Amino acid sequence: MAAPKLEEISHPPMDQLQGLEYCIDSNPSWGEAIALGFQHYILALGTAVMIPSFLVPLMGGSDGDKVRVVQTLLFVEGINTLLQTLFGTRLPTVVGGSYAFMVPIISIIHDPSLASIEDNHVVGRCVEIGIPMLILFIAFSQYLKNFKTRHLPIMERFALLITITVIWAYAHLLTASGAYKHRPDLTQMNCRTDKANLISSAPWIKIPYPLQWGAPTFDAGHAFGMMAAVLVSLIESTGAYKAASRLASATPPPAHVLSRGIGWQGIGILLSGLFGTLSGSSVSVENVGLLGSTRVGSRRVIQISAGFMIFFSMLGKFGAFFASIPFTIFAAVYCVLFGLVGRFQDLHIDTFALFLGLSVPEYFREYTAKALHGPAHTRAGWFNDFLNTIFFSSPTVALIVAVFLDNTLDYKDSAKDRGMPWWVKFRTFKGDTRNEEFYTLPFNLNRFFPPS
């Protein structure tokens, strides 16, 4: 198919996102930047606490073990975020723990050759926290976003911090009043502000270090399942990078910049394994969504949030205090922030692909949660891990279906509808003069890694 002409591009780079207060290389005042960075840190806590809270009990670990894993995950998350913003894509993205690795990790936990302890809970929900959180966050970030204090749009800029503080206090009142006293264990763990035992189990000072859980072991079957998880995390991260570039008012990252980011993500996954975080890493989509909510795409803000992750991961009691926020609060926030990421995407995904991308992984997640293994459970463990991991990811399923439909239907005359002309300008590093400003490596390192 012939390449579309540049004049067919309907969205010039400068018009990608209107009303942005701070772009990728402009910075708010230090006070505002620190507050925004802390907000990204609070949001990153959701995944950093949820993954260990689910996996550590399955491994027979104690509350103290869970706290150490949470601290280690945050510590490595801070390092990976700094590496990505300095030497990777240089986009304002948080690189945190990934759910893509859950299926192969659960498979490893329940390997008959390894000790395993099943933890059967009754699934519980606390809508009395989740629904108010969802409504309040939407109200503050969308309907009251024009409210200003001293010319600062405080509701739009800090809606997450304000809402979490209010609902967290409300959840504490429910906990203190005994509202969850006779509820199932999982409901209490997700809803109570004192059930996770994070604060009491956390040490005052603890610095994570490599191989702190002992020497690593290797199994070819487990490694194959992890390869599928890595594939999923790369697909998710690539989409998140492109979304972050737009929400930070930068040009879409050229191919070699994306490759650079994926390379550093590989190093990040290696660090995750060395430190023992129980999970690999990928770009946090919810933190990308927060860029759109606050209209602040500053790289410095994300680097400050990485500083908070490293600092509070070493000061255990303080980090555990913030990590005791109920999971349901984060779940409500994710619903809004994922929508913000999708709202600014230019890729027109077929409705059928979008539906399958939502429904198929949801089926795999529910099945895995109840049966502790995925729907694919043949005698070939590596094959099960590969299929269950691929179909566990919404972006991966949507991409597979969308690519198949786009390339098997009448695609020759639908290049413009597929968004192809819009991307032509950004396929090479020299396609836009501002690429040098946005993506050049610091310390004159570009002479060793010349752009292609």
mmCIF file of all heavy atoms in Angstrom, residues 334-350:
data_model
loop_
_atom_site.group_PDB
_atom_site.id
_atom_site.type_symbol
_atom_site.label_atom_id
_atom_site.label_comp_id
_atom_site.label_asym_id
_atom_site.label_seq_id
_atom_site.Cartn_x
_atom_site.Cartn_y
_atom_site.Cartn_z
ATOM 1 N N TYR A 334 -8.958 3.709 39.311
ATOM 2 C CA TYR A 334 -8.499 3.112 38.057
ATOM 3 C C TYR A 334 -9.575 3.195 36.978
ATOM 4 O O TYR A 334 -9.260 3.401 35.802
ATOM 5 C CB TYR A 334 -8.114 1.643 38.270
ATOM 6 C CG TYR A 334 -6.901 1.424 39.122
ATOM 7 C CD1 TYR A 334 -6.555 0.162 39.588
ATOM 8 C CD2 TYR A 334 -6.077 2.492 39.494
ATOM 9 C CE1 TYR A 334 -5.435 -0.049 40.373
ATOM 10 C CE2 TYR A 334 -4.961 2.298 40.289
ATOM 11 C CZ TYR A 334 -4.644 1.028 40.724
ATOM 12 O OH TYR A 334 -3.541 0.838 41.511
ATOM 13 N N CYS A 335 -10.843 3.027 37.364
ATOM 14 C CA CYS A 335 -11.929 3.083 36.380
ATOM 15 C C CYS A 335 -11.915 4.409 35.630
ATOM 16 O O CYS A 335 -12.116 4.451 34.416
ATOM 17 C CB CYS A 335 -13.283 2.898 37.069
ATOM 18 S SG CYS A 335 -13.546 1.254 37.754
ATOM 19 N N VAL A 336 -11.669 5.504 36.344
ATOM 20 C CA VAL A 336 -11.667 6.826 35.724
ATOM 21 C C VAL A 336 -10.390 7.051 34.927
ATOM 22 O O VAL A 336 -10.428 7.523 33.784
ATOM 23 C CB VAL A 336 -11.821 7.927 36.795
ATOM 24 C CG1 VAL A 336 -11.824 9.311 36.150
ATOM 25 C CG2 VAL A 336 -13.109 7.722 37.586
ATOM 26 N N LEU A 337 -9.248 6.697 35.499
ATOM 27 C CA LEU A 337 -7.970 6.994 34.845
ATOM 28 C C LEU A 337 -7.749 6.158 33.594
ATOM 29 O O LEU A 337 -7.157 6.648 32.621
ATOM 30 C CB LEU A 337 -6.829 6.776 35.837
ATOM 31 C CG LEU A 337 -6.843 7.721 37.044
ATOM 32 C CD1 LEU A 337 -5.670 7.435 37.961
ATOM 33 C CD2 LEU A 337 -6.806 9.178 36.597
ATOM 34 N N PHE A 338 -8.215 4.913 33.568
ATOM 35 C CA PHE A 338 -8.110 4.126 32.342
ATOM 36 C C PHE A 338 -8.929 4.765 31.231
ATOM 37 O O PHE A 338 -8.541 4.759 30.065
ATOM 38 C CB PHE A 338 -8.591 2.688 32.577
ATOM 39 C CG PHE A 338 -7.646 1.863 33.398
ATOM 40 C CD1 PHE A 338 -8.097 0.775 34.113
ATOM 41 C CD2 PHE A 338 -6.300 2.178 33.469
ATOM 42 C CE1 PHE A 338 -7.230 0.012 34.877
ATOM 43 C CE2 PHE A 338 -5.415 1.419 34.223
ATOM 44 C CZ PHE A 338 -5.886 0.332 34.928
ATOM 45 N N GLY A 339 -10.089 5.340 31.606
ATOM 46 C CA GLY A 339 -10.917 6.031 30.624
ATOM 47 C C GLY A 339 -10.235 7.264 30.069
ATOM 48 O O GLY A 339 -10.375 7.597 28.889
ATOM 49 N N LEU A 340 -9.476 7.964 30.898
ATOM 50 C CA LEU A 340 -8.757 9.155 30.438
ATOM 51 C C LEU A 340 -7.679 8.794 29.428
ATOM 52 O O LEU A 340 -7.452 9.529 28.456
ATOM 53 C CB LEU A 340 -8.123 9.882 31.633
ATOM 54 C CG LEU A 340 -9.080 10.685 32.501
ATOM 55 C CD1 LEU A 340 -8.357 11.170 33.754
ATOM 56 C CD2 LEU A 340 -9.632 11.872 31.737
ATOM 57 N N VAL A 341 -7.018 7.658 29.638
ATOM 58 C CA VAL A 341 -6.003 7.223 28.681
ATOM 59 C C VAL A 341 -6.650 6.917 27.335
ATOM 60 O O VAL A 341 -6.189 7.355 26.281
ATOM 61 C CB VAL A 341 -5.255 5.970 29.191
ATOM 62 C CG1 VAL A 341 -4.309 5.436 28.127
ATOM 63 C CG2 VAL A 341 -4.475 6.321 30.449
ATOM 64 N N GLY A 342 -7.761 6.174 27.356
ATOM 65 C CA GLY A 342 -8.432 5.817 26.110
ATOM 66 C C GLY A 342 -9.024 7.010 25.389
ATOM 67 O O GLY A 342 -9.104 7.040 24.162
ATOM 68 N N ARG A 343 -9.435 8.043 26.128
ATOM 69 C CA ARG A 343 -10.097 9.190 25.519
ATOM 70 C C ARG A 343 -9.174 9.941 24.581
ATOM 71 O O ARG A 343 -9.613 10.546 23.605
ATOM 72 C CB ARG A 343 -10.587 10.138 26.615
ATOM 73 C CG ARG A 343 -11.445 11.275 26.078
ATOM 74 C CD ARG A 343 -11.903 12.151 27.223
ATOM 75 N NE ARG A 343 -10.819 12.904 27.808
ATOM 76 C CZ ARG A 343 -10.971 13.728 28.838
ATOM 77 N NH1 ARG A 343 -12.142 13.846 29.411
ATOM 78 N NH2 ARG A 343 -9.942 14.396 29.320
ATOM 79 N N PHE A 344 -7.872 9.929 24.834
ATOM 80 C CA PHE A 344 -6.949 10.701 24.021
ATOM 81 C C PHE A 344 -6.205 9.845 23.005
ATOM 82 O O PHE A 344 -5.256 10.297 22.400
ATOM 83 C CB PHE A 344 -5.942 11.428 24.929
ATOM 84 C CG PHE A 344 -6.567 12.499 25.747
ATOM 85 C CD1 PHE A 344 -6.621 12.376 27.123
ATOM 86 C CD2 PHE A 344 -7.135 13.617 25.154
ATOM 87 C CE1 PHE A 344 -7.202 13.363 27.903
ATOM 88 C CE2 PHE A 344 -7.714 14.606 25.924
ATOM 89 C CZ PHE A 344 -7.748 14.480 27.297
ATOM 90 N N GLN A 345 -6.623 8.601 22.820
ATOM 91 C CA GLN A 345 -5.987 7.764 21.818
ATOM 92 C C GLN A 345 -6.607 8.028 20.454
ATOM 93 O O GLN A 345 -7.815 8.199 20.337
ATOM 94 C CB GLN A 345 -6.179 6.276 22.173
ATOM 95 C CG GLN A 345 -5.381 5.834 23.368
ATOM 96 C CD GLN A 345 -3.912 5.690 23.048
ATOM 97 O OE1 GLN A 345 -3.450 6.097 22.002
ATOM 98 N NE2 GLN A 345 -3.153 5.141 23.962
ATOM 99 N N ASP A 346 -5.786 8.050 19.398
ATOM 100 C CA ASP A 346 -6.287 8.272 18.052
ATOM 101 C C ASP A 346 -6.565 6.973 17.306
ATOM 102 O O ASP A 346 -7.184 6.984 16.257
ATOM 103 C CB ASP A 346 -5.273 9.099 17.247
ATOM 104 C CG ASP A 346 -5.332 10.565 17.617
ATOM 105 O OD1 ASP A 346 -6.401 11.175 17.468
ATOM 106 O OD2 ASP A 346 -4.305 11.082 18.056
ATOM 107 N N LEU A 347 -6.095 5.859 17.830
ATOM 108 C CA LEU A 347 -6.314 4.587 17.162
ATOM 109 C C LEU A 347 -7.778 4.199 17.282
ATOM 110 O O LEU A 347 -8.334 4.101 18.372
ATOM 111 C CB LEU A 347 -5.437 3.507 17.796
ATOM 112 C CG LEU A 347 -5.555 2.109 17.206
ATOM 113 C CD1 LEU A 347 -5.110 2.124 15.761
ATOM 114 C CD2 LEU A 347 -4.746 1.128 18.025
ATOM 115 N N HIS A 348 -8.442 3.955 16.129
ATOM 116 C CA HIS A 348 -9.864 3.603 16.119
ATOM 117 C C HIS A 348 -9.994 2.085 16.169
ATOM 118 O O HIS A 348 -9.899 1.401 15.153
ATOM 119 C CB HIS A 348 -10.532 4.163 14.868
ATOM 120 C CG HIS A 348 -10.469 5.652 14.777
ATOM 121 N ND1 HIS A 348 -11.210 6.474 15.594
ATOM 122 C CD2 HIS A 348 -9.739 6.467 13.995
ATOM 123 C CE1 HIS A 348 -10.955 7.736 15.301
ATOM 124 N NE2 HIS A 348 -10.055 7.757 14.338
ATOM 125 N N ILE A 349 -10.198 1.567 17.336
ATOM 126 C CA ILE A 349 -10.314 0.120 17.514
ATOM 127 C C ILE A 349 -11.745 -0.298 17.235
ATOM 128 O O ILE A 349 -12.686 0.323 17.729
ATOM 129 C CB ILE A 349 -9.906 -0.284 18.949
ATOM 130 C CG1 ILE A 349 -8.462 0.131 19.208
ATOM 131 C CG2 ILE A 349 -10.054 -1.783 19.150
ATOM 132 C CD1 ILE A 349 -8.017 -0.165 20.620
ATOM 133 N N ASP A 350 -11.882 -1.348 16.467
ATOM 134 C CA ASP A 350 -13.207 -1.866 16.138
ATOM 135 C C ASP A 350 -13.967 -2.204 17.419
ATOM 136 O O ASP A 350 -13.403 -2.707 18.387
ATOM 137 C CB ASP A 350 -13.041 -3.124 15.277
ATOM 138 C CG ASP A 350 -14.358 -3.647 14.773
ATOM 139 O OD1 ASP A 350 -14.970 -4.440 15.506
ATOM 140 O OD2 ASP A 350 -14.760 -3.268 13.657
#
